[in-house]
Every structure is written in structure tokens, then in C-alpha cells.
Amino acid sequence: MGSHSRHAALELLMRRESPAQLLAFFQSVAENLTVSFADSARAVPGRNRPMIHARGSLRRALMDDAFRRAATSAGMVASTGTTLPPTWSYPIARVGAFSISLGVVDRQTNRSARRLRSRGNYVHSLVARNAALNPQTSLFGDSKASVSTVIPKGAFGALVVVESSVKAPDTPLYMGLMVPSANLKGTYYQWSLEYLIRLLRDKVSEGKMPKRRVLERKKLKVRVKPLAPKQG
């Protein structure tokens, strides 16, 4: 994945959005999800299989609420998506060109890359239009002009993802934003929430920096002393 396409994808996230509002949202998401892990581990301790499943179910419910509260605190609206048949509901926040929901990732043995574990019908529906974001396609092939193309708000799908550990259930191993491929067989883009928050802080700081005043130099006026008249 080239740095140019990564940057262009982030531009789609931040298009027509206030950096300060996005910063508030992702900061709140990170904080609230961390609390969800701590609260679920405190409520359901233990490492046997039934306790692990019970803790995971509680944690997911707390994460859902955490995501909604983060959106509300940032002045956004979190709508509710429902699966067909209606056996599962999930939060959705429209941020720039993305509709963002929650997901879970894990790592396969001896592999460092994270794999999306959430593969339900709702995820397939969320990312159904993501093929246009493939770094190998022409959407990001031409500078910022391609990014400024009219793209509806929430057109593409992304997931705030977390990685958990049975050994340390009270804290997430990883939190990030993932843009999966349309067939869920790969990941087009992925950034840690730490990176996004740092980037947005820089954007907010740039907006607050006072513009450097351009000093106008006064033009020097040269006074020419008139010559005295010649005396005959």
C-alpha cells in the first residue's frame, strides 16, 4: 500500500468534517472501549470456556454503548443497523465518506497481521461498495482531484476494531480503524486509533496556529537638497 493512497483514504475520512470533531470522536471511542474491557473483566472474571463466552458477550454490549456515547459526545449521530433476519443490531456512525461500525480482529498463530474475525452478514453489507477503494484501482490514481470526486457521505464501510486476549481480558491489545476489502478476504487500509488521534491533534493544532504577519517595509524617501543658485 503506497503512502499516497493511504493519505487519500484518510482524506476521504476527513472530508467535510471538522478535525476537532473527529478528534473528539476517536478519543472518546478509545477511552470508552478501554473502559468496556475493564468493566467486563471485573464483572465476569475467570478463564474457563463459559466465563470467556459470557465476558465476550458482555464486553460487546458495553462496546456498543461506548461507541454510541462517543458519537453523541462528539456531536454525531449513531444510527442502528439490523441484520436480516433481525437477530443482531449494531451501531453505525457516518464519518466523511465512511459508515463506521464495530468489529473484532485476532492474529493467527505465527502471523503478525491482524485478521477480521467479524464476518457476519452485517459486515458484508457494510463493506459492499468498498471495491472502489482498492489501492490497485484508479480512484486514488490521480492526486487529490480523484478524492474530491462527489462521493456520498457514508458510502464506504469501515470498522473500529479491537483485539482481546484471554490472558489480559481487562485491556485491549489493539484498537484501530480498518477498511476491509469488499469480499472480506483482505484489508485495504488500517490505522491504529493512536495514530489517528495523533494525526488529528496535529490537524487541530495547525488550525489554531496564528498566521504569520507579513511586515510591510516602509519605502525610504530620499530627500534631495536643492542646489543653491550660482552667483555671478
Side-chain angles (χ1 to χ4, degrees), residues 4-15:
H4 172 71
S5 62
R6 283 176 62 91
H7 176 76
L10 282 172
E11 287 293 328
L12 282 177
L13 177 71
M14 295 184 283
R15 69 194 308 250

Side-chain angles (χ1 to χ4, degrees), residues 18 29 90 145 172:
S18 161
V29 165
Y90 50 96

Side-chain angles (χ1 to χ4, degrees), residues 158-169:
L159 296 160
V160 169
V161 294
V162 296
E163 180 185 357
S164 61
S165 169
V166 176
K167 296 180 180 178

Side-chain angles (χ1 to χ4, degrees), residues 37 41 47 55 59 163-173:
F37 271 71
R47 294 187 184 179
R55 183 168 55 244
R59 182 168 60 222
E163 180 185 357
S164 61
S165 169
V166 176
K167 296 180 180 178
D170 60 341
T171 185
L173 291 182

Side-chain angles (χ1 to χ4, degrees), residues 28 52 70 74 108 112 123 131 144-145 150 160 162 176-177 212 217 226:
S28 186
I52 291 173
Q108 295 176 300
S112 58
V123 180
K144 286 190 175 181
V150 177
V160 169
V162 296
L177 183 69
R212 185 176 295 179
R217 295 184 178 181

Side-chain angles (χ1 to χ4, degrees), residues 58-172:
L58 175 59
R59 182 168 60 222
R60 181 57 194 251
L62 294 177
M63 285 170 53
D64 185 298
D65 181 63
F67 186 92
R68 294 176 189 277
R69 285 187 286 109
T72 300
S73 66
M76 299 176 178
V77 177
S79 59
T80 300
T82 306
T83 59
L84 292 174
T87 57
W88 182 268
S89 64
Y90 50 96
I92 303 173
R94 291 192 173 187
V95 182
F98 290 95
S99 290
I100 302 177
S101 189
L102 285 169
V104 177
V105 292
D106 58 18
R107 284 196 250 196
Q108 295 176 300
T109 306
N110 298 326
R111 292 189 181 182
S112 58
R114 292 178 174 88
R115 176 180 64 95
L116 183 64
R117 200 167 77 198
S118 303
R119 291 174 174 270
N121 289 336
Y122 84 97
V123 180
H124 282 277
S125 176
L126 186 75
V127 305
R129 294 172 294 277
N130 279 13
L133 295 176
N134 189 335
Q136 306 303 320
T137 63
S138 60
L139 180 61
F140 298 139
D142 179 27
S143 67
K144 286 190 175 181
S146 57
V147 176
S148 63
T149 303
V150 177
I151 297 173
K153 188 178 180 70
F156 305 118
L159 296 160
V160 169
V161 294
V162 296
E163 180 185 357
S164 61
S165 169
V166 176
K167 296 180 180 178
D170 60 341
T171 185

